[in-house]
Amino acid sequence: VLDSKGFHTRCCPVGGWLVRRHNAGCAVLAEWAEQQCGCTVFREQVVPGANPDHAEARMDLIMYSPRVAGAIYIDFTVVSALSVEAIAKGAGLRDGVASDIAAQWKQSRYSHCVTWAFAVEDHGRFGEDAVGLIKALAPTEPQLRSKAIAALHQSVARTLQRSSADAIL
């Protein structure tokens, strides 16, 4: 049953809309890293041993940046600030609770490698790990940096809004 605010549509795992939204968000982040930050990006890569429960765990993105040494393993996720768990942990009183919960879960899931949990709340708020990663990857020149970061925020928000609207329609 659909609710008037479209919450069910944005969160229901049936029908593939969550996967489409996730994949669209990954594509936006990968494109931004390649074009704005000069990164080399690999999508949907198997990382043997990253997750002790799954021998062939997949990482959404693996990036190599000119500003960061070594591989950057990224697990992208979109979460709802209106989830039962987020509300129970104080999402109504503090910003970013849902993304913090998701980041902790993602990091515990990939306990054998350093993973950046790029958590975005479905209305566009970035989690702390996502913001940290953006700051690490973004160009260092102030004018280019602010434009690059703003472009990513706008692209992710637009993609999430479009995905939610498509799911509701």
Side-chain angles (χ1 to χ4, degrees):
V1 177
L2 295 179
D3 56 291
S4 62
K5 305 278 186 193
F7 176 73
H8 175 87
T9 304
R10 289 192 317 270
C11 300
C12 182
V14 177
W17 290 104
L18 291 180
V19 174
R20 289 182 194 138
R21 180 177 67 181
H22 170 270
N23 291 347
C26 284
V28 167
L29 178 59
E31 182 180 316
W32 175 82
E34 289 171 338
Q35 293 179 357
Q36 300 280 341
C37 306
C39 295
T40 302
V41 180
F42 298 95
R43 296 173 173 105
E44 290 293 322
Q45 297 294 304
V46 173
V47 183
N51 183 339
D53 297 330
H54 301 285
E56 294 188 2
R58 289 189 181 270
M59 196 61 62
D60 291 328
L61 302 171
I62 298 177
M63 292 184 189
Y64 294 90
S65 169
R67 286 176 281 288
V68 178
I72 303 166
Y73 298 98
I74 301 169
D75 194 353
F76 187 93
T77 187
V78 182
V79 295
S80 176
L82 300 176
S83 70
V84 173
E85 185 178 6
I87 290 173
K89 292 191 176 187
L93 303 172
R94 185 174 64 86
D95 294 336
V97 171
S99 58
D100 291 346
I101 293 168
Q104 290 170 0
W105 184 79
K106 291 287 187 179
Q107 289 166 348
S108 69
R109 183 175 174 202
Y110 296 104
S111 58
H112 291 99
C113 76
V114 177
T115 304
W116 289 82
F118 200 96
V120 182
E121 293 180 5
D122 62 358
H123 291 101
R125 176 181 302 283
F126 287 14
E128 289 181 26
D129 284 356
V131 171
L133 180 63
I134 292 166
K135 288 179 180 179
L137 295 176
T140 55
E141 184 181 326
Q143 186 175 5
L144 292 176
R145 184 177 182 84
S146 62
K147 285 183 181 179
I149 292 172
L152 179 62
H153 278 276
Q154 291 171 352
S155 295
V156 169
R158 180 176 54 246
T159 299
L160 294 180
Q161 289 172 6
R162 184 175 294 139
S163 296
S164 293
D166 286 346
I168 290 169
L169 292 175

